[in-house]
Amino acid sequence: MDKKVSDGPPVAHYDLHIDGRDVPCDRVMDSFNPYTGERWAVVPDGQESDIDAAVAAARRAFDEGPWSKLTATQRGALIRKLGDIVARDAEILARIECNDNGKLYREMLGQWRYIPEYFYYFAGMADKLQGDVVPSDRTNFFIYTRREPVGVVGAITPWNSPGLLLVFKLAPGLAAGCTFVVKPSEHTPVSTLELAKRFKEAGFPDGVFNVVTGQGTLGAALVKHPGIDKVAFTGATATGKRIAASAAQNLTRVSLELGGKSPNIVFADADLDVAANGAIAGIFGATGQTCMAGSRLLVQDSVHDELLERIVARTKEIRLGNPMDEATEMGPVANEPQYHKVMEYIDVAKADGAKLCCGGIGDPDLGGFFVQPTVLSNVTNDMRIAQEEVFGPVLSVIKFSDEEDAIRIANDTRFGLAAAVWTQNIHRGHRVAHRLRAGTVWINAYRVVSFATPFGGFKESGLGRENGVDAIREYTETKSVYVELTGEPRDPFKLG
Ligand code: NAD
């Protein structure tokens, strides 16, 4: 419901979504549009008691509700219906996310138009999830396995692509038969609450999808709740470590999609125009606020100066502005703490000896949370700017001498989310890709993901995989069933 609560533009009000109903909350928090700086929505600031209620609803739905009695084919049909509704409403959902996180409308619209494909892909997988008949080592036993849903999932999401990163969890989890309690980022809670309305419309039983909005402490309460069976988290590595430690108390399963410091490696034999374009896409797409940002550009020394010149020239032309305008290439960073973090990292890099080639300041005309796209050269891999995730439009350019040197520098990081190799030598492309310690490697491309392809991190970039067939395994347990065939009593003191 939209109503005017102040002299500003109309502000949207939302309730929690628990057990198929909108549930008002005593405490609320404001959601601000990072471009206009205006409050545009008021959402619940949920409490632990709300988490208890949401988990209880998801538990009931999983253990005994109508959802638990559906066939896998019927589950698939509901998921497909949800995909159709999201496809119909992609523009509305994209606009909501722009209001919340300031990313470009065309990027968010692209995401919401692609999200139905995740629902369709996993809807089709729901009734193809099968166990095995195990070749038994005993003549008197028939043994088979079942793939059963892991149970109630607590999903916790970040602010950069709230819908897409939730659907990475939701589509395979629903297909497997799980139920959900979702805690979206306090900075971008609205699209998840809007998605809840579409669950209702698609005909999902109550309690399958519950949303509790609030601060990080609420996420912590969800993780330690004994009523959940799995935590599916996307966010910062430091938060992921806290979650893993807390989940370990109940041995709750976890999948973690965390941060990165991904190397984008350009060899001298690359097509430099294409590579320069890929470097720009890798770091300035989404204002650098993607886990897979190509924030370390490794360039072979013989083409370093030429490539740097091209990148700096194009970076200076990047059009900053209103995320809703078709012509805008980069919006603001998503919130004030993030703005200060980015600016501090630029100062740290300069103090450590990096050379500022362009950017490095806020935007004098646009103000707000705009940061001019920034290129730093003379970076060495031991500097903080090369080792720590900035999560903003800051590119660090590092020189390398040969293939061994490139691989050494690329892997010299605690992260391992993604990497790219730019070369026209097909042997080198594959050879280097195989030696990079990262969950995704692109050859002559950057920032491509697909519902059909596993995505996740090596090392401190995460645990488990989202997307593709691998993802649904994260939402199932394997059960082995032994059937005795003779009906004869056996020696009770002998195993088997
Ligand atoms: P964040 O870790 O601060 O917050 C993510 C979510 O966790 C939010 O909903 C937050 O409220 C919640 N949270 C905070 N503290 C918690 C706690 N102790 N227990 C449980 N939940 C808690 O991350 P962010 O700033 O929202 O997002 C940026 C980070 O996300 C970056 O590090 C980025 O690399 C990462 N990210 C990773 C991927 C990926 O797929 N690997 C994708 C996007 C973003």
Side-chain angles (χ1 to χ4, degrees):
M1 175 178 54
D2 283 346
K3 59 182 172 188
K4 207 165 164 121
V5 295
S6 71
D7 289 340
V11 173
H13 283 242
Y14 289 88
D15 292 328
L16 302 167
H17 186 82
I18 299 175
D19 209 10
R21 280 177 285 280
D22 290 340
V23 178
C25 183
D26 297 342
R27 290 176 28 180
V28 293
M29 55 188 190
D30 295 326
S31 209
F32 289 93
N33 178 324
Y35 175 64
T36 62
E38 279 168 351
R39 180 176 75 138
W40 80 278
V42 177
V43 295
D45 187 9
Q47 306 302 303
E48 272 199 55
S49 55
D50 300 313
I51 290 283
D52 290 341
V55 173
R59 196 74 263 163
R60 275 194 306 277
F62 181 78
D63 289 337
E64 67 214 38
W67 175 250
S68 66
K69 306 199 171 49
L70 294 182
T71 65
T73 308
Q74 289 169 325
R75 281 203 308 271
L78 282 177
I79 298 168
R80 211 168 290 115
K81 182 85 197 300
L82 181 63
D84 290 344
I85 293 170
V86 167
R88 180 197 70 197
D89 292 346
E91 292 181 12
I92 299 170
L93 293 160
R95 213 168 297 121
I96 283 169
E97 285 199 340
C98 291
N99 282 346
D100 250 357
N101 70 7
K103 279 170 76 170
L104 297 190
Y105 177 66
R106 57 191 155 101
E107 164 144 11
M108 298 330 285
L109 184 60
Q111 286 190 5
W112 278 103
R113 286 198 172 140
Y114 193 45
I115 280 173
E117 302 295 338
Y118 287 77
F119 287 126
Y120 301 146
Y121 176 79
F122 285 104
M125 211 181 280
D127 57 8
K128 284 142 205 97
L129 247 191
Q130 55 193 42
D132 280 322
V133 172
V134 179
S136 175
D137 60 334
R138 324 226 169 139
T139 53
N140 62 326
F141 274 98
F142 167 61
I143 307 170
Y144 62 93
T145 60
R146 286 165 52 79
R147 298 278 296 282
E148 298 189 356
V150 71
V152 176
V153 178
I156 302 173
T157 50
W159 44 262
N160 58 331
S161 293
L164 185 70
L165 297 170
L166 173 59
V167 172
F168 279 14
K169 300 156 183 49
L170 205 47
L174 292 172
C178 297
T179 59
F180 277 80
V181 176
V182 184
K183 207 303 278 176
S185 168
E186 53 277 33
H187 299 294
T188 54
V190 179
S191 58
T192 306
L193 289 163
E194 281 285 341
L195 190 63
K197 297 182 188 169
R198 275 95 187 149
F199 267 79
K200 194 100 187 141
E201 186 185 344
F204 277 82
D206 293 345
V208 173
F209 185 71
N210 306 276
V211 185
V212 184
T213 53
Q215 310 297 325
T217 45
L218 206 60
L222 179 59
V223 170
K224 72 174 174 23
H225 201 292
I228 62 164
D229 301 291
K230 175 187 162 73
V231 177
F233 172 74
T234 299
T237 291
T239 315
K241 287 182 183 180
R242 280 199 288 278
I243 286 175
S246 169
Q249 301 308 307
N250 295 328
L251 285 182
T252 305
R253 278 92 181 104
V254 285
S255 51
L256 304 171
E257 296 291 347
L258 308 175
K261 196 73 205 177
S262 299
N264 201 353
I265 310 170
V266 183
F267 286 95
D269 60 16
D271 178 327
L272 292 192
D273 277 336
V274 182
N277 197 57
I280 301 269
I283 187 65
F284 299 129
T287 317
Q289 301 171 119
T290 84
C291 51
M292 62 184 123
S295 49
R296 287 186 299 151
L297 184 70
L298 277 47
V299 187
Q300 195 154 20
D301 42 18
S302 58
V303 293
H304 173 274
D305 294 354
E306 187 184 347
L307 185 71
L308 183 62
E309 199 177 306
R310 290 187 202 197
I311 288 172
V312 170
R314 176 67 182 93
T315 301
K316 286 179 177 167
E317 289 170 358
I318 290 176
R319 285 187 298 272
L320 273 56
N322 185 344
M324 299 302 292
D325 287 351
E326 193 58 29
T328 300
E329 293 178 319
M330 225 182 78
V333 298
N335 51 63
E336 191 170 359
Q338 192 58 24
Y339 171 84
H340 292 301
K341 180 179 159 199
V342 173
M343 297 310 276
E344 277 167 26
Y345 265 114
I346 295 169
D347 288 342
V348 167
K350 287 193 292 189
D352 284 349
K355 179 177 168 228
L356 183 67
C357 303
C358 61
I361 51 169
D363 192 280
D365 300 324
L366 294 162
F369 306 145
F370 279 91
V371 177
Q372 287 193 355
T374 300
V375 179
L376 298 161
S377 66
N378 283 5
V379 175
T380 55
N381 203 51
D382 55 350
M383 291 181 185
R384 278 184 62 198
I385 195 70
Q387 290 293 330
E388 296 174 19
E389 187 183 44
V390 177
F391 218 60
V394 182
L395 180 66
S396 296
V397 184
I398 302 171
K399 266 187 199 171
F400 68 85
S401 55
D402 57 17
E403 195 173 303
E404 276 308 309
D405 197 32
I407 292 166
R408 182 188 59 76
I409 297 170
N411 287 337
D412 179 16
T413 168
R414 65 193 175 100
F415 296 109
L417 191 62
V421 187
W422 300 84
T423 175
Q424 297 195 68
N425 178 334
I426 189 168
H427 311 291
R428 188 201 297 278
H430 288 284
R431 196 166 61 222
V432 174
H434 293 187
R435 290 186 62 197
L436 292 171
R437 302 270 300 148
T440 296
V441 181
W442 299 281
I443 300 177
N444 296 328
Y446 209 92
R447 262 188 105 216
V448 186
V449 289
S450 143
F451 53 81
T453 311
F455 181 78
F458 283 29
K459 303 195 272 184
E460 291 192 21
S461 286
L463 280 180
R465 290 292 177 273
E466 300 195 309
N467 307 338
V469 178
D470 290 36
I472 204 158
R473 298 200 183 105
E474 306 273 344
Y475 292 89
T476 62
E477 296 271 20
T478 301
K479 178 182 283 178
S480 300
V481 181
Y482 288 73
V483 186
E484 213 284 332
L485 295 175
T486 66
E488 303 290 329
R490 318 287 301 175
D491 177 351
F493 303 106
K494 189 170 158 264
L495 180 69

